[in-house]
Amino acid sequence: MLSRCANAQCSKPFLKLREGKLFLVETERLTKPGESAVPPFVRARQQQRCVEHYWLCDDCAKRWTLVYERERGVALATLRRPAVSIPAAAATSRSGTA
């Protein structure tokens, strides 16, 4: 999953950790064909989880984040931004206007 940006519409290759945003997504383990749905050992019967790695390039990370939903898997979601940016709010408070 780390070879390219997780956004299917983007083709930027993953080259450096300091660029973009790295995601560690914990998902449920799926049983493989021919594998018993109920493992024979008590410890193995506990909820099995997998950690998958995803990456968004700098441009995509400014607009998107990744979410995991059981039905859809890992998907892009719009990144929510505050209505007023922090620098604008700081300038307003310094000028004395409300």
Side-chain angles (χ1 to χ4, degrees):
M1 290 296 171
L2 287 178
S3 62
R4 299 212 173 274
C5 181
N7 182 355
Q9 304 300 318
C10 180
S11 62
K12 290 186 182 174
F14 173 73
L15 299 173
K16 300 176 186 173
L17 279 173
R18 70 175 185 237
E19 295 175 358
K21 189 171 183 180
L22 184 65
F23 293 83
L24 299 166
V25 181
E26 188 175 354
T27 60
E28 295 177 6
R29 182 179 175 273
L30 301 174
T31 57
K32 297 175 186 171
E35 186 177 52
S36 172
V38 180
F41 304 105
V42 174
R43 184 176 176 91
R45 288 184 194 137
Q46 295 173 351
Q47 183 77 359
Q48 297 290 316
R49 303 297 241 179
C50 293
V51 176
E52 298 180 41
H53 298 80
Y54 295 88
W55 175 76
L56 287 175
C57 68
D58 282 329
D59 293 333
C60 292
K62 290 175 186 174
R63 293 177 279 159
W64 303 99
T65 189
L66 295 177
V67 295
Y68 172 73
E69 296 175 0
R70 180 180 275 177
E71 299 79 28
R72 295 186 334 163
V74 175
L76 285 174
T78 304
L79 190 61
R80 295 182 184 174
R81 296 279 184 199
V84 177
S85 67
I86 294 172
T92 304
S93 65
R94 277 185 265 147
S95 66
T97 60

